[in-house]
Amino acid sequence: MVYDPHDTEARVQEKWRGANLFKMEEKPGVPKYYCLEMFMYPSGRIHMGHVRNYTIGDVVARFHRMRGENVLHPMGFDAFGLPAENAAIKGQAHPKEWTDSNIAAMKVQLDRMGLMYDWGREVRTCEPEYYRWNQWFFLKMFERSLAYKAKRRVNWCPGCKTVLANEQVEDGTCWRCHSAVELKEMEQWFLRISDYSNELLGGLASLPEWPAEVVAMQRNWIGRSEGAYVDFAVDGRPEKIKVFTTRIDTIYGATCVVLAPEHPMASALASAAQKSEVESFKAAMRGQSTHDRATSKEKKGVFTGSFAVNPFSKERIPVYLANFVLMEYGTGAIMSVPAHDQRDFEFARQYGLPVRVVVQPGGLTVEGMKEASPLDGLLEESGPFTGMNNREAMKVMAAKAAAEGFGEAAVTFRLKDWGISRQRYWGTPIPVVNCESCGTVPVPEKELPVLLPYDVPLTGKGESPLARVAGFVNAKCPKCGGPAKRETDTMDTFVDSSWYFLRYTSPKEKGRAFSQEAASYWAPIDFYIGGIEHATMHLIYFRFFTMVLRDLGLIPFGEPARRLMCQGMVIKDGAKMSKSLGNIVDPDAMIERYGADAVRLNILFLSPPWDQLDWKESGAEGAARFLNRVYDVVEEALPYLGGPVTPPRDGEGLALRRKTHQTVGRVTAELAERLKLNTAIAALMELCNAQQAFLSGFRQTPEERFALKESVEALVTMLSPFAPHLCDELWEKLGHEGFLVLGPWPSFDAKIATEDEVTLAVQVNGKLRGQITVARGLSDQEVLAAAKENPKVKAHIEGKAIVKELVVKERIVNLVVKG
RNA sequence: GCCGAAGUGGCGGAAUUGGCAGACGCAGGGGACUCAAAAUCCCCCGGUCGCAAGGCCUUGCGGGUUCGAGUCCCGCCUUCGGCACCA
């Protein structure tokens, strides 16, 4: 009998719908479980990456529900963003219609997969009821100076015609369209994520169930470094140059001070003689992005004509501007110590500046020096500090600087504030007006939402589209009532995704972003699944938002997700699936061919969820074959299940019971803890194989009937999170009513799972020589005696002296012999 | 350069965290059923020597610890990912 998945899947899905099975009903007195997959961008079609991501979540969510827990497993849409707008520019449809119709199409696809989503909780970020709360959070942050406007050099993507956050620049290109990013001086809104650098970094230690690589990437990205600020006086001028250094111990070796070309003091420090050179250098640097400068590596600079005074040695050293000093990091100024910093070394060689060794690791001389020495050692030529260990000197010298008022120990971070202004239409309007007399004025809360107008000319030409909508732009100043103009930039869509997980807990809530009661019941997320590409974007932003929301008193926790899993990429024939390579696998076509259950099973069976996965069609055939075998086993067993049953105490019946309970133990452990879903499926396959073998020798006794019934029902139940359609169908065949997802999960009996005989391997000198099967619970002496009796072992120990005897309970015996 | 992950049969991958390497599946070979095919079922399937019993080798490479190492330690090689003129 061949099982037809299409017929079954359609019928079973209809029953689920009829029973409103996926609506979450909270029961009192049971644990909660919030299982969340990163919501989707409504591009129009789901791909294999979605299939994998959502199947993992679905299996885990179903499992927890079967165990009787309150499970929140929602899905929604990250519905603002560029593709919708670009489609409109191409004249396809209004972004709103484009988005809505894509969502409708994708929901059909998701339902076909059999995914257990409570659509009653769906969230769409482009709805005013959602984005008004983006605006509200913005106002709250504005009140606390966590949102501010500043003129900065920002990343401009000429392809997307908008500004990008630092996190959205990859290798000097736009994360979305990969155009080379340019630097532009623009007035922008920023969120002060840097205020949370310390907590974002420290909090990582409280996330043991996050993947090590994500934690490492975030740590790297936040980039803490310990050092000191030191003020250098400028000879003959009142102002001081503040530098940041991690090597204050090398300060006696500083032979110049170098400023970034954009440093605010750069022009002022130019002497009359150097003025034109300084200005032309600044002009040359202006067009170059940090990325361009970094990749050229060549050190370029110009002397300003001014001199700085080393506050320790009082030495007078020249002040330069150079391309390798970044305005964005530290203070935008450094002290240059050529002997102990490679960049400074190269710069010194280029411009003929002196090189002086001040930390002696042993045998280091300036003559013949090919590169800087970063090593530790004892200070030399360092005034009163000479002879001191350099690590010690760092502390002492920073303390001296602080005591004398020309510096202090300091920690700096690489993490910069989050620029959220986007010069595009399809996003959340920033709730601010610019009044001629009052300046920047936030829109009062009661006027929210600032609605995104529907009719907006979209040309893709570059400035904010909203600026062309007079009805939107012209507003009254909330403060003075005078004429004002609205902010026409919209927010980065990563703002939307920074708190959506909280909205799911009370998606219909009015008057607040979310119900605080619901949020503190459900959140933090127990299990969060998504792609690793968000490691330093979404996954850092939503941690930041969670901390801010906690500080606003809205939630009682600061970390949004307890456990994170990043599913591996789905590739085909060793290459990433892409349209240009023509190796896209269409989920719909796969479901058409093998059924949703087989597709789900295959994508989970092929490798552990977090590993890269090479989609193999033959695997889907294998999965379908297995489901067929399960179907056959049930069909074959069915006629035998009616008669009287008695628990078996020995023989094949007991052996099958053992296998059944061992499988329950293994599968439960995988689903509850380890989540190596491929091995859970392997265990189920083994159980099915055992049942097949059992049936071929089935003797129709009440004992064997008991074992068979128990085993088959356990298999169908445990397979149901993976292949929910087939299993619900089989459950009905087996004479049961209702749905497997409502539980219960099979109970595990350790006593039955444990064999009363154990097979041990016997080694002689660490080499496997034989096996013995003995009763459980024998003493080591008895086990050793049995081992020595084994004929194969005997042959290897005969005539030799046994030097050592080892027994590892229920595993192995090792006899060490000599001679 | 720094940080992280990984390297196991023809392939995807297992291995209870130091205890029988290769579970489970895919591909392949042989057989049964069939007029035939599909489907299904049974057997074989890391390498090597051997008729066989069995021996030897084998988890990227080289050392080490241990009765015992895919797993731990030291030193390399390779691949992938992230960051990178960050002072």
Side-chain angles (χ1 to χ4, degrees):
Chain A
M1 178 65 200
V2 175
Y3 158 69
D4 173 23
H6 300 101
D7 183 47
T8 297
E9 288 176 5
R11 201 172 48 245
V12 169
Q13 283 178 9
E14 196 47 51
K15 283 171 70 180
W16 290 345
R17 262 191 295 277
N20 205 4
L21 188 63
F22 298 160
K23 183 171 164 28
M24 202 272 308
E25 312 264 9
E26 264 177 72
K27 288 162 290 180
V30 299
K32 68 93 184 178
Y33 193 81
Y34 188 177
C35 179
L36 185 63
E37 299 112 54
M38 289 181 189
F39 65 173
M40 53 164 51
Y41 182 77
S43 60
R45 302 287 301 164
I46 67 170
H47 58 249
M48 279 303 185
H50 291 125
V51 170
R52 190 177 196 193
N53 189 176
Y54 304 155
T55 302
I56 296 164
D58 199 55
V59 167
V60 173
R62 282 175 180 270
F63 167 72
H64 281 272
R65 195 156 171 210
M66 290 174 81
R67 294 226 283 187
E69 296 166 23
N70 286 333
V71 173
L72 180 57
H73 185 230
M75 179 48 73
F77 296 89
D78 190 11
F80 271 140
L82 276 179
E85 196 167 334
N86 291 340
I89 290 164
K90 283 192 214 135
Q92 289 168 0
H94 186 277
K96 171 81 173 137
E97 269 78 66
W98 185 87
T99 302
D100 285 348
S101 75
N102 283 350
I103 289 175
M106 294 175 99
K107 281 172 78 168
V108 170
Q109 291 188 293
L110 296 178
D111 286 342
R112 281 192 79 189
M113 291 288 307
L115 300 167
M116 184 184 70
Y117 291 128
D118 183 352
W119 288 119
R121 288 177 175 264
E122 178 188 341
V123 163
R124 299 185 186 191
T125 59
C126 65
E127 298 297 336
E129 268 314 302
Y130 187 85
Y131 69 71
R132 68 181 297 159
W133 301 111
N134 286 345
Q135 296 172 338
W136 187 80
F137 291 133
F138 178 90
L139 294 178
K140 289 288 149 197
M141 292 195 204
F142 182 80
E143 276 169 26
R144 304 188 158 220
S145 300
L146 287 170
Y148 64 94
K149 194 158 73 168
K151 196 162 196 176
R152 292 265 174 92
R153 295 198 328 152
V154 291
N155 309 298
W156 172 262
C157 171
C160 297
K161 304 269 197 286
T162 185
V163 165
L164 301 173
N166 296 313
E167 287 80 359
Q168 293 155 9
V169 179
E170 297 172 350
D171 236 358
T173 68
C174 169
W175 70 297
R176 191 181 278 287
C177 73
H178 292 285
S179 314
V181 167
E182 298 164 2
L183 284 179
K184 252 191 171 178
E185 182 106 346
M186 289 178 75
E187 185 130 86
Q188 295 286 299
W189 283 96
F190 291 88
L191 299 184
R192 212 178 290 278
I193 191 171
S194 62
D195 263 18
Y196 286 82
S197 298
N198 234 334
E199 192 181 357
L200 286 166
L201 186 67
L204 292 171
S206 71
L207 301 172
E209 295 190 280
W210 277 42
E213 63 263 57
V214 174
V215 171
M217 279 188 221
Q218 291 207 356
R219 180 168 293 136
N220 223 319
W221 187 260
I222 297 165
R224 181 189 146 98
S225 75
E226 259 175 69
Y229 293 124
V230 182
D231 296 328
F232 282 69
V234 182
D235 195 23
R237 301 182 63 94
E239 59 264 65
K240 290 184 169 183
I241 301 169
K242 189 184 276 301
V243 307
F244 177 71
T245 177
T246 55
R247 293 297 305 274
I248 193 172
D249 55 312
T250 64
I251 198 164
Y252 282 83
T255 54
C256 70
V257 164
V258 190
L259 310 187
E262 300 79 19
H263 195 284
M265 293 166 70
S267 291
L269 290 175
S271 66
Q274 293 299 102
K275 192 108 209 149
S276 70
E277 256 195 88
V278 165
E279 290 309 322
S280 69
F281 181 74
K282 283 180 67 173
M285 287 299 120
R286 196 163 298 140
Q288 274 190 28
S289 69
T290 312
H291 184 257
D292 291 341
R293 291 187 206 172
T295 41
S296 86
K297 290 267 177 192
E298 196 192 339
K299 302 287 175 290
K300 280 187 196 147
V302 62
F303 177 47
T304 58
S306 289
F307 289 84
V309 180
N310 185 326
F312 280 88
S313 66
K314 309 297 178 208
E315 187 184 2
R316 199 168 161 270
I317 53 178
V319 178
Y320 277 75
L321 306 186
N323 62 347
F324 70 97
V325 178
L326 310 173
M327 195 57 226
E328 292 79 22
Y329 186 75
T331 60
I334 63 156
M335 62 180 204
S336 176
V337 186
H340 302 293
D341 181 285
Q342 186 56 26
R343 293 152 300 177
D344 296 345
F345 182 78
E346 288 165 23
F347 188 69
R349 282 287 146 96
Q350 187 88 17
Y351 291 94
L353 294 158
V355 178
R356 217 155 51 218
V357 171
V358 289
V359 176
Q360 185 51 261
L364 185 66
T365 55
V366 174
E367 291 73 44
M369 192 186 274
K370 292 230 164 49
E371 55 184 17
S373 158
L375 303 175
D376 289 330
L378 299 182
L379 298 203
E380 53 185 38
E381 291 190 54
S382 295
F385 304 96
T386 300
M388 192 181 276
N389 171 290
N390 75 306
R391 293 273 149 194
E392 182 61 24
M394 285 181 191
K395 290 179 210 148
V396 175
M397 293 167 94
K400 179 182 160 84
E404 298 185 14
F406 60 82
E408 60 183 328
V411 173
T412 59
F413 294 91
R414 219 190 63 109
L415 184 67
K416 287 165 214 135
D417 283 340
W418 175 13
I420 58 158
S421 297
R422 296 293 179 274
Q423 292 67 44
R424 298 301 300 245
Y425 162 63
W426 194 232
T428 305
I430 295 173
V432 161
V433 298
N434 298 302
C435 169
E436 283 161 29
S437 42
C438 311
T440 301
V441 181
V443 173
E445 271 182 45
K446 59 179 190 305
E447 287 178 25
L448 296 185
V450 175
L451 281 174
L452 184 67
Y454 185 87
D455 283 316
V456 176
L458 297 170
T459 60
K461 282 279 156 37
E463 49 198 53
S464 302
L466 291 177
R468 287 188 291 265
V469 183
F472 178 81
V473 174
N474 296 317
K476 244 199 277 180
C477 171
K479 231 188 210 165
C480 70
K485 299 214 178 291
R486 273 188 205 286
E487 171 65 59
T488 56
D489 285 355
T490 54
M491 291 184 203
D492 184 2
T493 57
F494 280 102
V495 172
D496 312 357
S497 52
S498 289
W499 64 279
Y500 76 111
F501 71 102
L502 294 167
R503 183 70 185 173
Y504 280 138
T505 65
S506 51
K508 308 274 198 291
E509 186 76 4
K510 300 252 192 268
R512 313 188 267 186
F514 50 85
S515 143
Q516 290 174 32
E517 301 71 52
S520 29
Y521 175 72
W522 288 111
I525 302 161
D526 292 283
F527 184 42
Y528 195 32
I529 318 152
I532 195 160
E533 65 274 16
H534 290 107
T536 55
M537 292 198 276
H538 163 63
L539 289 173
I540 214 159
Y541 296 141
F542 96 136
R543 292 184 62 220
F544 160 62
F545 243 75
T546 303
M547 290 167 189
V548 171
L549 266 43
R550 175 206 56 203
D551 290 346
L552 290 170
L554 298 174
I555 44 174
F557 53 87
E559 288 290 350
R562 290 207 177 92
R563 181 170 190 170
L564 171 71
M565 182 195 284
C566 293
Q567 87 275 8
M569 232 187 355
V570 183
I571 60 168
K572 181 82 203 300
D573 307 320
K576 189 173 177 170
M577 287 188 193
S578 76
K579 276 186 198 143
S580 56
L581 287 170
N583 62 349
I584 298 268
V585 175
D586 177 40
D588 274 354
M590 286 299 117
I591 293 171
E592 203 55 55
R593 203 162 313 159
Y594 303 103
D597 284 339
V599 170
R600 293 168 59 116
L601 201 67
N602 181 42
I603 207 155
L604 296 177
F605 180 62
L606 246 23
S607 73
W610 42 83
D611 278 1
Q612 177 174 285
L613 178 151
D614 202 346
W615 176 265
K616 286 247 168 38
E617 185 118 6
S618 57
E621 273 167 44
R625 203 177 296 162
F626 167 61
L627 294 176
N628 240 314
R629 222 162 45 229
V630 174
Y631 185 87
D632 285 346
V633 163
V634 172
E635 289 257 287
E636 205 182 324
L638 215 44
Y640 304 134
L641 298 180
V645 295
T646 315
R649 269 185 266 132
D650 50 27
E652 293 301 307
L654 183 59
L656 182 63
R657 285 206 82 190
R658 263 193 206 118
K659 185 74 186 172
T660 304
H661 281 269
Q662 286 168 354
T663 308
V664 173
R666 281 173 68 185
V667 174
T668 307
E670 290 299 353
L671 289 177
E673 290 299 327
R674 255 188 9 149
L675 298 176
K676 220 169 167 189
L677 302 179
N678 53 329
T679 60
I681 295 170
L684 293 170
M685 287 173 167
E686 280 185 53
L687 183 60
C688 179
N689 292 345
Q691 289 170 5
Q692 251 179 335
F694 185 75
L695 274 165
S696 69
F698 188 58
R699 285 196 303 263
Q700 299 210 40
T701 61
E703 286 80 11
E704 296 210 342
R705 193 174 294 122
F706 182 103
L708 180 64
K709 188 169 157 63
E710 177 187 54
S711 193
V712 166
E713 290 187 347
L715 174 63
V716 169
T717 308
M718 289 190 291
L719 183 61
S720 74
F722 301 92
H725 307 91
L726 169 68
C727 292
D728 263 356
E729 172 108 333
L730 293 177
W731 195 239
E732 195 183 312
K733 264 187 194 294
L734 287 164
H736 299 284
E737 295 203 339
F739 303 99
L740 283 163
V741 75
L742 298 175
W745 185 255
S747 57
F748 171 65
D749 188 332
K751 242 188 248 142
I752 299 169
T754 311
E755 326 250 348
D756 45 22
E757 287 192 324
V758 281
T759 300
L760 293 92
V762 184
Q763 298 181 333
V764 178
N765 287 348
K767 275 191 196 297
L768 179 69
R769 294 304 180 188
Q771 285 190 337
I772 52 170
T773 300
V774 297
R776 183 181 296 279
L778 286 191
S779 72
D780 288 0
Q781 284 316 308
E782 291 169 305
V783 170
L784 279 169
K788 289 177 200 165
E789 279 308 303
N790 182 288
K792 287 178 185 167
V793 175
K794 229 172 186 170
H796 283 94
I797 59 176
E798 219 141 30
K800 293 173 183 167
I802 297 181
V803 186
K804 197 165 184 179
E805 297 172 334
L806 282 117
V807 179
V808 181
K809 279 241 172 308
E810 291 162 28
R811 291 201 195 285
I812 206 164
V813 175
N814 193 4
L815 304 171
V816 185
V817 300
K818 225 171 148 180

